[in-house]
Every structure is written in structure tokens, then in C-alpha cells.
């Protein structure tokens, strides 16, 4: 069964460092998303991406964040200068035709900023 | 601003019980609603997607209903098993998914 895969599963980084979280969405899907979940809190929307551009972003997704689809299969989230409060589980998701179709999530990358 | 709430926050039941998990949302202008399961420290597994034109959706022992006008969805789990123990999340869908607070379910043998 097709699935969304994320790497790494866990990343520890020092405050101020740049991190790149990687995702391989389901191959025939067109819409891609990043969400995050701070420990003990709700899953929050960060950004949606379609047709090689951001379609929507939340207020959390400030200039420190960027997304890219560098090739036909990968979808990345970059955090330029990490802060302690960026520590969270980051989930990538994809859907075939946007919000009218089921969204499938990856297993997540646990980011710990020290 | 859309707020999504799930009741109860936690539930502990013996194996075999039929369960109802509740999800309420403040703005009925949604496209669809999706239910997920989350195991501790893991990702989100999609259980059911209910499109706005549907009133319910079934998959195996799971049945989800949607009443947009009253801002409610319920997830019914029949004959619960210990393997059903997890956190269950609902998400209302507009141009993105807005998640609820979750119900942490424990089913004991």
C-alpha cells in the first residue's frame, strides 16, 4: 500500500542550526502539506503546497521556514535557524486532489532543539 | 475562527464494549471531516473520510457520522479490542485540516 515516508525519524540539533526535514509523498498525489505537533498539544497546520508553490501558510510559518520540491519525488521543510520552541513532531502529508480527498500522513520526524 | 473539540478527553473501557467518540466544531462551513488514529510517538493513520455530502461512512468495526448543521461528528467503534487503544483525532477540512484535541482510548482485556 502506498505510504508517505519521512526521514529522519528523529533529529537532534543545536539552537541556531539549520535543519532539513525530508518527505516522499505518495507518488500520484498533487497536494503536499506540513503539520507539526508540540508535545501534548494539537496537530497544527504549517503549510500547503501545490503546483510547485505554496498555496497557504499559517502564522507559524514565518521567514524561518521554507518548503521545496527539489525533484519529482521529494518534499522538504527547512528551518533556517532553529529555536528551542521548534522542538516538535513534524508530519508530512499528501492528498490526491486537495481537501476533497483523503489526506495521508507520514510517521513524522521528531525534532529536538537543544 | 474554527475550534474543534473532542469529548471525552480520555476513555478506559473493558474489551468488547461499543464506544462513541465525539467531535464538535464551531463553524459548519467545512468541506469534509476525517478521523485519524495516533499511536504513542507515531504518525497519524487515516481511518475514515466523510465528505460534506455524506452523513456517514463505515469501515469494518468503525462507523463515523457527520451532522454539519449541528457541528458534530461521532466515531462509533463496535466490539472494542485492546488493539484499538490509541488516541483518536478528528479533523475538519476547509482548505486545510484543523485538528481536534483528541480522545485517548484504552481498551483493557
Amino acid at each position: 500500500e502506498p505510504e508517505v515516508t519521512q526521514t529522519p525519524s528523529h533529529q537532534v540539533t543545536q539552537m541556531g542550526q539549520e535543519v532539513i526535514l525530508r518527505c516522499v509523498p505518495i507518488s500520484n498525489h498533487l497536494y503536499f502539506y506540513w503539520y507539526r505537533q508540540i508535545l501534548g498539544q494539537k496537530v497544527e497546520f504549517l503549510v500547503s503546497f501545490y503546483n510547485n508553490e505554496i498555496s497557504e501558510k499559517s502564522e507559524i510559518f514565518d521567514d524561518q521556514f521554507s518548503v521545496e520540491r527539489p525533484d519529482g519525488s521529494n518534499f522538504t521543510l527547512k528551518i533556517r535557524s532553529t529555536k528551542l520552541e521548534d522542538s516538535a513532531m513534524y508530519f508530512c502529508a499528501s492528498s490526491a486532489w486537495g481537501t476533497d480527498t483523503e489526506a495521508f500522513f507520514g510517521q513524522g520526524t521528531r525534532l529536538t532543539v537543544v | 475562527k474554527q475550534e474543534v473539540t473532542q469529548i471525552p478527553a480520555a476513555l478506559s473501557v473493558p474489551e468488547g464494549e461499543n464506544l462513541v467518540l465525539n467531535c464538535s466544531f464551531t463553524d459548519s462551513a467545512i468541506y469534509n471531516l476525517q478521523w485519524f488514529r495516533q499511536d504513542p510517538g507515531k504518525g497519524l493513520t487515516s481511518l475514515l473520510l466523510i465528505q460534506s455530502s455524506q452523513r456517514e461512512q463505515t469501515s469494518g468495526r468503525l462507523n463515523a457520522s457527520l451532522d454539519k448543521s449541528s457541528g458534530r461528528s461521532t466515531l462509533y467503534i463496535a466490539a472494542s479490542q485492546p488493539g484499538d487503544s490509541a488516541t483518536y483525532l478528528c479533523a475538519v477540512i476547509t482548505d486545510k485540516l484543523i485538528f481536534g484535541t483528541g480522545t485517548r482510548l484504552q481498551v483493557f482485556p
Side-chain angles (χ1 to χ4, degrees):
Chain A
E1 185 174 321
E3 60 180 14
V4 176
T5 56
Q6 290 185 242
T7 54
S9 56
H10 190 190
Q11 179 149 6
V12 181
T13 190
Q14 288 203 324
M15 194 168 54
Q17 294 297 303
E18 175 183 285
V19 295
I20 298 176
L21 310 183
R22 302 180 192 278
C23 169
V24 179
I26 293 173
S27 63
N28 61 346
H29 284 187
L30 301 178
Y31 289 77
F32 315 117
Y33 312 87
W34 284 100
Y35 288 79
R36 79 172 186 189
Q37 186 177 34
I38 295 170
L39 189 63
Q41 298 187 22
K42 287 188 184 185
V43 178
E44 304 173 288
F45 169 77
L46 291 178
V47 66
S48 57
F49 191 87
Y50 168 71
N51 201 26
N52 283 320
E53 60 184 30
I54 290 173
S55 41
E56 185 169 352
K57 59 184 180 179
S58 72
E59 57 195 27
I60 302 168
F61 195 88
D62 61 22
D63 292 344
Q64 294 279 74
F65 292 88
S66 62
V67 290
E68 194 178 30
R69 188 153 163 82
D71 54 42
S73 59
N74 291 284
F75 180 51
T76 62
L77 174 70
K78 182 193 291 186
I79 309 174
R80 279 184 241 291
S81 178
T82 49
K83 307 184 188 92
L84 294 176
E85 54 264 37
D86 293 327
S87 295
M89 183 77 99
Y90 287 80
F91 294 110
C92 173
S94 70
S95 64
W97 292 103
T99 50
D100 238 12
T101 53
E102 196 170 358
F104 293 89
F105 281 69
Q107 289 300 299
T109 292
R110 180 169 300 285
L111 176 66
T112 303
V113 183
V114 297
Chain B
K1 183 186 170 186
Q2 179 74 268
E3 295 287 341
V4 183
T5 306
Q6 292 184 245
I7 294 172
L11 189 58
S12 182
V13 299
E15 183 176 8
E17 282 209 0
N18 300 323
L19 308 171
V20 176
L21 308 183
N22 297 292
C23 171
S24 61
F25 45 96
T26 53
D27 186 347
S28 62
I30 67 170
Y31 297 151
N32 306 315
L33 188 143
Q34 194 166 352
W35 282 91
F36 293 87
R37 167 189 174 132
Q38 184 176 29
D39 292 284
K42 304 288 186 183
L44 307 176
T45 301
S46 177
L47 298 173
L48 291 163
L49 171 72
I50 313 175
Q51 295 184 319
S52 60
S53 57
Q54 300 172 313
R55 293 192 68 85
E56 65 178 76
Q57 194 65 267
T58 297
S59 175
R61 294 183 293 109
L62 304 179
N63 176 277
S65 66
L66 174 62
D67 184 345
K68 280 179 59 177
S69 60
S70 67
R72 290 183 186 174
S73 176
T74 60
L75 179 67
Y76 176 82
I77 303 175
S80 59
Q81 302 170 358
D84 295 330
S85 299
T87 296
Y88 290 80
L89 301 173
C90 69
V92 299
I93 304 171
T94 55
D95 48 1
K96 56 185 175 282
L97 278 69
I98 303 170
F99 283 83
T101 45
T103 293
R104 191 168 64 251
L105 172 65
Q106 183 181 11
V107 181
F108 54 89

